[in-house]
Amino acid sequence: MIAIIVISFLALIGAVFTIYVWQRTPSDGNGNPVLPAPHFKGLFDRTDAALLVEEQLETIASKRQKLLELARSGALNALAEAHSTRDAMLYADVLSALAEWASERQENLAALVSHISKSNELRANKQLAQLLIETWKTAPDRRSTTEMIHIAALSDDAETYEQAIEAGLEFFRSGQLPWFKPEELAELFVSQYWVIAPEARRGGVGFALKRRLSGIRRELATTRSAR
């Protein structure tokens, strides 16, 4: 009886060991295959993502080329469209193309200056401001003087603005701006100074411009008193 119990116990141990070994053994090709872990590639795989980026770059390049062509032909609305993209480099390039177009004829320059002056968002640049300063010198009047100073301020270049106010002051001293009283000219110079972008008013050049404006105000105040 004891022998039967021992044999049964040993058989049970063997069966348990056999099941344990079978469970630990990896499945072969005849059993259920072990599935590989899934690999997440994101919303797009590399090929689709690269194609998407390429398409976006082509769209941007196409729009840039279109706006530059419009600007070279004198389409003033190209400037507002470039501004709407919030791409500073694109805006600068379109404005430069329009400034080149404006340099060809006086009518072109007047149209571009008027277009920018009437806008609350569009800015000028150094190229356009200096072109207008030189053109203004040939036939200054009250309206063109105001536009010249305003465009110089919109160029966001302190040195260019100083060049504009020095030209205006020189013509006033020589009696070529009889439409302005001294206090009016001083007010024009100071008010348009605040049109310049804040970052352009900072630094050494901006500080020197502010000091120069103070000196001009004192000079024009003295001129007013003398009159």
Side-chain angles (χ1 to χ4, degrees), residues 142 145-147 149-150 161 165 180 182-194 213:
R142 185 180 181 90
T145 301
T146 301
E147 281 188 335
I149 297 298
H150 183 55
Y161 188 70
I165 61 176
F180 288 96
E183 60 269 26
E184 290 177 327
L185 194 62
E187 176 61 25
L188 174 63
F189 291 166
V190 173
S191 65
Q192 291 302 303
Y193 166 79
W194 297 107
L213 279 170

Side-chain angles (χ1 to χ4, degrees), residues 133-184:
I133 292 170
E134 295 306 313
T135 304
W136 169 83
K137 290 178 180 179
T138 62
D141 58 28
R142 185 180 181 90
R143 180 173 178 273
S144 65
T145 301
T146 301
E147 281 188 335
M148 183 268 290
I149 297 298
H150 183 55
I151 291 297
L154 287 175
S155 72
D156 296 327
D157 185 85
E159 291 182 346
T160 298
Y161 188 70
E162 184 172 2
Q163 180 183 346
I165 61 176
E166 291 292 356
L169 184 62
E170 179 183 349
F171 274 61
F172 178 79
R173 287 169 178 161
S174 63
Q176 298 182 67
L177 295 180
W179 312 278
F180 288 96
K181 296 178 180 179
E183 60 269 26
E184 290 177 327

Side-chain angles (χ1 to χ4, degrees), residues 12-66:
L12 179 60
I13 292 176
V16 170
F17 180 78
T18 301
I19 293 172
Y20 174 78
V21 172
W22 179 80
Q23 289 180 339
R24 296 274 296 180
T25 304
S27 301
D28 56 16
N30 296 325
N32 294 326
V34 178
L35 297 177
H39 179 64
F40 181 68
K41 298 182 179 181
L43 295 178
F44 306 99
D45 62 23
R46 292 184 61 185
T47 302
D48 289 344
L51 288 175
L52 181 61
V53 171
E54 185 176 348
E55 289 175 359
Q56 290 174 338
L57 291 176
E58 288 177 355
T59 300
I60 293 172
S62 176
K63 185 170 186 177
R64 173 187 175 81
Q65 185 61 32
K66 178 184 176 182

